[in-house]
């Protein structure tokens, strides 16, 4: 676990946003409880969450997509450093342009906040029938519930996009979504059973 703490510490020093402890613990517990084996992550950053997920069980395989080539290289380096390169596959591509044929038990969305709905719609076909799509950063440092915390125009636009995504999840007829005020705000969307 020492190596993972080093990666976490370095990400914070480099101002790379990684998952908050409470959020990552929640997802790792979910992985254990539901015997999740195949995970797709949209947004690798430096590989911290992919490493944490893969570390939950020796049978877990993670595919993770990262658009930024510098972050992609850093993620590869970190994944090799902890010896998980056989179980974590990193794709250096725009997730909206990537095409995957595999099916996953869990799809984790933690990339460009303004694209969450597009990611959800694109990758729901890659979800197993009993799988879930988990999204992070839905409270966006408390600003979604309290927009007065920022006066930055771009941030306000981003907050509105996150709100639209939340409404999209709430009104989605294919999925049932539960929202959790953990970490930076998490949603768990499960496919409704077919009649």
């Amino acid at each position: 676990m020492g190596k993972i703490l080093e990666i976490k510490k370095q990400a914070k020093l480099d101002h790379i946003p990684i998952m908050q402890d409470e959020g990552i613990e929640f997802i790792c517990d979910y992985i254990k409880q539901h015997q999740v084996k195949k995970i797709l992550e949209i947004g690798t950053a430096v590989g911290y969450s992919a490493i944490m997920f893969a570390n939950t069980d020796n049978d877990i395989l993670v595919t993770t997509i990262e658009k930024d080539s510098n972050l992609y290289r850093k993620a590869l380096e970190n994944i090799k450093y902890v010896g998980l390169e056989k179980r974590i596959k990193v794709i250096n591509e725009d997730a909206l342009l990537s095409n995957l044929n595999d099916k996953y038990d869990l799809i984790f969305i933690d990339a460009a906040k303004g694209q969450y709905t597009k990611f959800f719609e694109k990758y729901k076909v890659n979800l197993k029938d009993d799988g879930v799509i988990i999204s992070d950063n839905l409270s966006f440092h408390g600003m979604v519930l309290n927009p007065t915390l920022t006066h930055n125009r771009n941030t306000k636009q981003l907050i509105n996009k996150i709100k639209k995504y939340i409404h999209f999840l709430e009104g989605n007829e294919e999925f049932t979504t539960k929202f959790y005020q953990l970490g930076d705000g998490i949603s768990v969307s499960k496919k409704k059973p077919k009649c």
Side-chain angles (χ1 to χ4, degrees):
M1 214 54 183
K3 288 182 175 181
I4 298 174
L5 288 174
E6 276 179 49
I7 291 166
K8 180 182 174 182
K9 191 176 171 185
Q10 192 58 51
K12 289 188 175 177
L13 287 171
D14 295 338
H15 304 288
I16 305 291
I18 57 169
M19 276 200 85
Q20 292 182 15
D21 293 346
E22 203 181 21
I24 203 117
E25 283 165 20
F26 172 82
I27 298 175
C28 289
D29 284 345
Y30 187 95
I31 290 166
K32 284 179 201 162
Q33 287 168 16
H34 296 86
Q35 284 93 46
V36 168
K37 298 299 175 204
K38 276 185 82 175
I39 299 169
L40 172 64
E41 177 184 54
I42 315 295
T44 315
V46 294
Y48 173 69
S49 45
I51 290 166
M52 290 293 284
F53 299 158
N55 227 24
T56 306
D57 190 281
N58 292 333
D59 296 334
I60 292 172
L61 297 174
V62 181
T63 299
T64 179
I65 306 172
E66 178 53 56
K67 185 178 172 179
D68 184 296
S69 52
N70 291 327
L71 289 175
Y72 164 77
R73 283 192 290 274
K74 188 65 187 168
L76 288 179
E77 193 181 296
N78 287 337
I79 289 160
K80 192 171 184 183
Y81 180 58
V82 295
L84 286 170
E85 63 271 30
K86 287 189 168 69
R87 294 200 289 117
I88 301 175
K89 177 186 176 185
V90 190
I91 300 167
N92 184 201
E93 215 169 30
D94 183 332
L96 291 174
L97 303 175
S98 200
N99 285 306
L100 301 175
N101 297 317
D102 283 5
K103 296 274 185 181
Y104 300 91
D105 303 304
L106 190 156
I107 296 173
F108 178 54
I109 303 175
D110 188 16
K113 313 298 163 241
Q115 304 294 340
Y116 272 28
T117 304
K118 287 180 182 175
F119 293 141
F120 191 104
E121 291 284 49
K122 179 173 173 64
Y123 287 101
K124 66 182 182 184
V125 298
N126 296 96
L127 191 66
K128 290 182 183 175
D129 284 340
D130 58 347
V132 292
I133 298 177
I134 297 181
S135 309
D136 191 30
N137 303 121
L138 297 188
S139 77
F140 203 64
H141 316 294
M143 290 184 239
V144 171
L145 287 173
N146 187 359
T148 58
L149 291 173
T150 182
H151 298 291
N152 181 299
R153 190 169 164 263
N154 290 342
T155 307
K156 284 186 173 184
Q157 286 176 334
L158 193 55
I159 291 163
N160 285 332
K161 285 178 181 173
I162 295 169
K163 282 182 178 175
K164 279 182 186 169
Y165 179 65
I166 292 167
H167 292 312
F168 160 79
L169 293 177
E170 288 169 339
N172 197 303
E173 294 186 359
E174 287 179 89
F175 287 80
T176 304
T177 299
K178 286 186 179 173
F179 296 91
Y180 298 88
Q181 293 306 316
L182 296 165
D184 197 24
I186 289 173
S187 64
V188 178
S189 303
K190 197 167 177 53
K191 275 186 184 178
K192 289 179 183 175
K194 288 172 184 166
C195 298

